[in-house]
Amino acid sequence: LAMIHHHHHIEETLQFPFFESKLGTGSMEHNVEQHHAFLGGLDDTAEYIKGILAGTVKYQGKILIEKLDTFADGLVQHLHDVCANDE
């Protein structure tokens, strides 16, 4: 999950501004909006996993799946859209 955060940070601070300089202001806004749409679920899942690793939260597969389900569809759609943007 940290890798996804890092990836989005690189996109928003380096790649998207470069693409917008070539494609026009706002051309990457949809991608940024998608990042923000699933950020809450991603952060919530990361906190849950940190709690498990720290021993303060008991692992429950059902809860993990529920947390992943809160953002998985948005993340998958974003990945499809990014690939379409690269064509």
Side-chain angles (χ1 to χ4, degrees):
L1 298 176
M3 184 178 75
I4 294 172
H5 273 295
H6 177 71
H7 170 80
H8 291 158
H9 175 73
I10 295 298
E11 281 184 324
E12 290 181 18
T13 59
L14 299 174
Q15 288 180 305
F16 293 169
F18 172 77
F19 292 147
E20 286 196 342
S21 74
K22 304 297 182 193
L23 302 172
T25 302
S27 58
M28 303 306 292
E29 187 61 32
H30 180 66
N31 290 299
V32 174
E33 290 170 359
Q34 287 178 320
H35 287 177
H36 294 280
F38 57 77
L39 186 62
L42 187 70
D43 287 343
D44 184 49
T45 304
E47 289 303 312
Y48 178 68
I49 292 171
K50 286 178 188 175
I52 294 167
L53 294 174
T56 59
V57 174
K58 181 182 178 205
Y59 170 77
Q60 296 181 49
K62 181 180 178 185
I63 291 175
L64 180 59
I65 290 169
E66 288 171 358
K67 291 181 179 296
L68 292 170
D69 282 346
T70 67
F71 71 92
D73 289 343
L75 176 60
V76 170
Q77 184 61 54
H78 170 67
L79 295 173
H80 285 285
D81 292 350
V82 167
C83 290
N85 288 341
D86 291 343
E87 293 178 349

